């Protein structure tokens, strides 16, 4: 039996949630383009669109904003369930502990609320500050920045973060959404599905990528030699963070949406120009070292620049990314619940035979 260890090309689900064509750079989220979602629906409106028929009927942006706000308040009030253990650990582990404390019967909005509330509270505690209670009237982007800083963020920063959350909310059968589907396909709970999704997400090849992208840019800057740094990394068999994608064979169109959002913040034009130069040289080097592989820019460089520009600490990039993607995990998990088929592939045994 031929083994396909990366499962590329395997179609494991029918979905109404999103469509990605990596050769043409097309992404549709339930019949909407990313531009349309960013311009007209925002993060909560996008959640209403992808949860429609799964987590309720006739969902609206306003209803999701209201429900998410109420869930953040409940999550903050129940923080004693996890904060003691979580605050002693690095952020990645602390957020995992907070998610693991969810009751089995948790509703989608209550599951999602753990991510903004725990991420902001754990960062503040680490910095010697008291957690800030949520404001249920605000959007996720506005309230997360407020809970993080202890003061309201500017409208342009809120808009930039909302653009980010909207742009990366749902993207087909990525590793983390697949993990959520596998879990729920055994009739495990939505809370367990999101713990699975989060765990699969944290690796540097997936949702853990944006922090290391900035580390890479800083290292390249410090070296003073963009070409030399890139050559050495590729010669050693290393990967350039922010490039390559299992599905996209041309530049990920979401990268430009995020780049425009960072540029609109008008914060550090020099850094953006440097990132563009690195990107340009990295693409040329990848084409030389990996001819025929079609390695292009993914979203992570612009995502990292955006998160940094709105004041998210570098080691929290993955957790903020998970605030965006969690509704996508949940939508996939709820769609899988309706499909009902348990996911169970097979392996090809290559071990020893019994002696007798
Ligand atoms: N830098 C250097 N080499 C690379 C890179 C890269 N960024 N990406 C792929 N390659 C190499 C692979 O090592 C492989 O080489 P080989 O054939 O000589 O063994 C070849 O290019 C082909 O790899 P693919 O099959 O295209 O890559 P795959 O689908 O397995 O991996 C992945 C995709 C994990 C995203 C990869 O491109 C990567 O590691 N990128 C860097 C990390 C990153 O930016 N991750 C974020 C992705 S976006 C997201 O998940 C949210």
């Amino acid at each position: 039996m031929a083994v396909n260890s990366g499962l590329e090309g395997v179609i494991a689900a029918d979905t109404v949630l999103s469509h990605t064509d990596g050769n043409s750079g097309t992404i549709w989220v339930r019949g909407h383009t990313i531009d349309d979602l960013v311009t007209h629906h925002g993060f909560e409106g996008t959640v209403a669109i992808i949860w429609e028929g799964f987590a309720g009927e006739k969902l609206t942006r306003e209803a999701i904003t209201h429900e998410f706000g109420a869930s953040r308040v409940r999550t903050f009030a129940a923080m004693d369930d996890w904060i003691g253990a979580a605050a002693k650990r690095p952020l990645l582990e602390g957020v995992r502990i907070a998610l693991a404390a969810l009751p089995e019967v948790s509703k989608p909005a209550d599951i999602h609320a753990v991510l903004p509330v725990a991420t902001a509270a754990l960062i503040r505690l680490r910095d010697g500050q008291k957690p800030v209670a949520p404001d249920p009237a605000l959007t996720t982007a506005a309230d997360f920045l407020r809970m993080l800083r202890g003061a309201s963020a500017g409208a342009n920063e809120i808009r930039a973060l909302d653009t980010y959350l909207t742009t990366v909310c749902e993207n087909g059968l990525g590793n983390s959404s697949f993990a959520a589907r596998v879990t729920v396909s055994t009739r495990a709970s939505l809370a367990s599905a999101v713990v699975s999704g989060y765990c699969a997400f944290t690796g540097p090849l997936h949702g853990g990528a944006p922090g290391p992208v900035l580390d890479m840019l800083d290292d390249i800057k410090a070296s003073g030699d963009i070409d030399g740094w890139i050559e050495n990394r590729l010669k050693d068999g290393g990967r350039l963070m922010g490039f390559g994608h299992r599905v996209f064979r041309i530049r990920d169109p979401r990268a430009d949406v995020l780049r425009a959002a960072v540029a609109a913040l008008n914060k550090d034009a020099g850094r953006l120009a440097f990132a563009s130069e690195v990107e340009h040289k990295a693409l040329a080097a990848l084409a030389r070292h990996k001819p025929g592989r079609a390695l292009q820019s993914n979203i992570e460089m612009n995502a990292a620049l955006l998160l940094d520009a709105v004041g998210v600490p570098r080691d929290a990039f993955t957790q903020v990314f998970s605030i965006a993607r969690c509704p996508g995990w949940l939508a996939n998990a709820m769609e899988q619940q309706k499909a009902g088929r348990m996911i169970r592939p097979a392996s090809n045994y290559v071990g020893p035979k019994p002696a007798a």
Side-chain angles (χ1 to χ4, degrees), residues 206-296:
H206 188 26
V213 168
L214 277 199
D215 294 341
M216 182 184 84
L217 282 181
D218 288 351
D219 275 0
I220 296 176
K221 183 102 190 162
S223 77
D225 175 9
I226 301 178
D227 288 318
W229 192 99
I230 291 172
E231 280 304 316
N232 285 338
R233 170 60 64 98
L234 292 176
K235 250 193 342 240
D236 293 345
R239 295 199 173 191
L240 299 178
M241 302 307 288
F243 298 88
H245 197 279
R246 180 55 66 83
V247 176
F248 281 107
R249 294 300 162 193
I250 66 170
R251 181 183 169 81
D252 186 328
R254 295 170 301 171
D256 294 323
V257 177
L258 297 181
R259 173 61 62 100
V262 194
L265 283 168
N266 272 329
K267 280 224 166 133
D268 190 345
R271 191 178 203 198
L272 271 189
F274 179 72
S276 292
E277 192 183 351
V278 169
E279 185 178 350
H280 184 71
K281 293 186 165 175
L283 288 172
L286 285 167
R288 277 196 310 277
H289 281 262
K290 303 281 175 189
R293 290 298 194 181
L295 296 172
Q296 295 295 327

Side-chain angles (χ1 to χ4, degrees), residues 33-91:
T33 62
I34 297 293
D35 275 339
D36 174 39
L37 292 175
V38 166
T39 312
H40 298 114
H41 300 277
F43 179 58
E44 278 78 7
T46 301
V47 175
I49 288 166
I50 64 173
W51 283 9
E52 177 63 30
F54 297 115
E57 311 286 332
K58 299 198 169 48
L59 299 177
T60 61
R61 182 180 195 171
E62 292 68 31
I64 293 290
T65 305
H66 180 77
E67 199 183 349
F68 273 18
S71 290
R72 288 195 303 277
V73 170
R74 274 197 295 279
T75 301
F76 192 84
M79 204 188 268
D80 284 350
D81 289 354
W82 46 266
I83 196 77
K88 291 189 204 129
R89 309 287 281 272
L91 189 62

Side-chain angles (χ1 to χ4, degrees), residues 132-174:
V132 172
D135 178 345
L138 297 179
T139 63
T140 304
D143 204 23
F144 174 72
L145 289 176
R146 192 188 133 276
M147 289 190 288
L148 187 64
R149 300 168 178 194
S152 299
N156 59 345
E157 294 173 309
I158 295 169
R159 197 174 313 116
L161 185 60
D162 190 71
T163 295
Y164 171 74
L165 298 180
T166 305
T167 302
V168 301
C169 178
E170 159 60 23
N171 186 26
L173 218 45

